[in-house]
Amino acid sequence: METLFFLSPRYRLDDRSSWLEGVDPSRRYWIAVNGDRNQAVAIPGPIVSSRSELQQIIFQFRSLRPTEKMTLTRVASTCTIHCIADNCYALEVEDEFAPISHLFDRETLDALLMTAHPDWRCSPADIDLGRKLLMRSLGGAAAVNK
């Protein structure tokens, strides 16, 4: 059996392709992989309850040096930010098949992390992204009888 290897482009805020579909109310980043809307993934972002928590996350992220990493933990999932090199970060998430890393520059990942701010509100159009995730989860089996 061959080992799967996934490669992702490096996403930047000034990219010509529209890779960011939006950020839903539960702070998931909806990314069109390689700009393909049919290959959209939802990456869990951090949720904080206070500005000081957000400050800690931002300061920790900004202090990362090459080879260092930080983990963002949510109730049901985690993701890890790896500092690959100056201005290159991998956001690693678990897919159903294997861990996948999405590459970002510092400015883009910093902007995405800012959506964790307790007062942040998603755009009305991005509310549908949350509904999309809910519909995906309702489409799967809730229980399996054997």
Side-chain angles (χ1 to χ4, degrees):
M1 181 174 167
E2 292 183 26
T3 304
L4 297 175
F5 178 74
F6 296 94
L7 183 63
S8 180
R10 182 170 151 195
Y11 300 110
R12 299 183 337 230
L13 289 177
D14 62 352
D15 279 342
R16 289 183 193 167
S17 68
S18 55
W19 57 269
L20 182 63
E21 287 194 32
V23 181
D24 71 21
S26 62
R27 306 324 200 266
R28 284 185 176 80
Y29 315 134
W30 287 79
I31 295 175
V33 178
N34 296 324
D36 182 356
R37 299 251 181 233
N38 295 320
Q39 295 294 321
V41 295
I43 300 172
I47 297 176
V48 299
S49 58
S50 69
R51 292 177 182 187
S52 62
E53 274 184 83
L54 176 63
Q55 257 185 339
Q56 288 174 353
I57 289 172
I58 297 299
F59 287 152
Q60 185 180 2
F61 167 68
R62 289 178 181 170
S63 69
L64 287 176
R65 299 292 169 243
T67 72
E68 294 180 342
K69 65 181 178 180
M70 67 182 276
T71 302
L72 303 173
T73 305
R74 290 176 55 130
V75 175
S77 59
T78 62
C79 66
T80 305
I81 298 173
H82 298 270
C83 181
I84 306 298
D86 289 338
N87 203 25
C88 184
Y89 299 85
L91 186 59
E92 180 184 301
V93 293
E94 284 289 325
D95 185 76
E96 59 185 277
F97 303 110
I100 298 177
S101 293
H102 301 275
L103 302 178
F104 297 91
D105 65 4
R106 177 187 300 264
E107 180 185 20
T108 304
L109 197 48
D110 194 67
L112 289 174
L113 291 173
M114 289 293 185
T115 64
H117 192 286
D119 297 334
W120 178 85
R121 300 289 175 254
C122 73
S123 73
D126 291 348
I127 292 173
D128 287 336
L129 294 173
R131 290 184 183 125
K132 185 177 176 180
L133 186 65
L134 181 60
M135 294 307 292
R136 277 188 193 172
S137 67
L138 293 175
V144 177
N145 292 330
K146 290 188 177 187

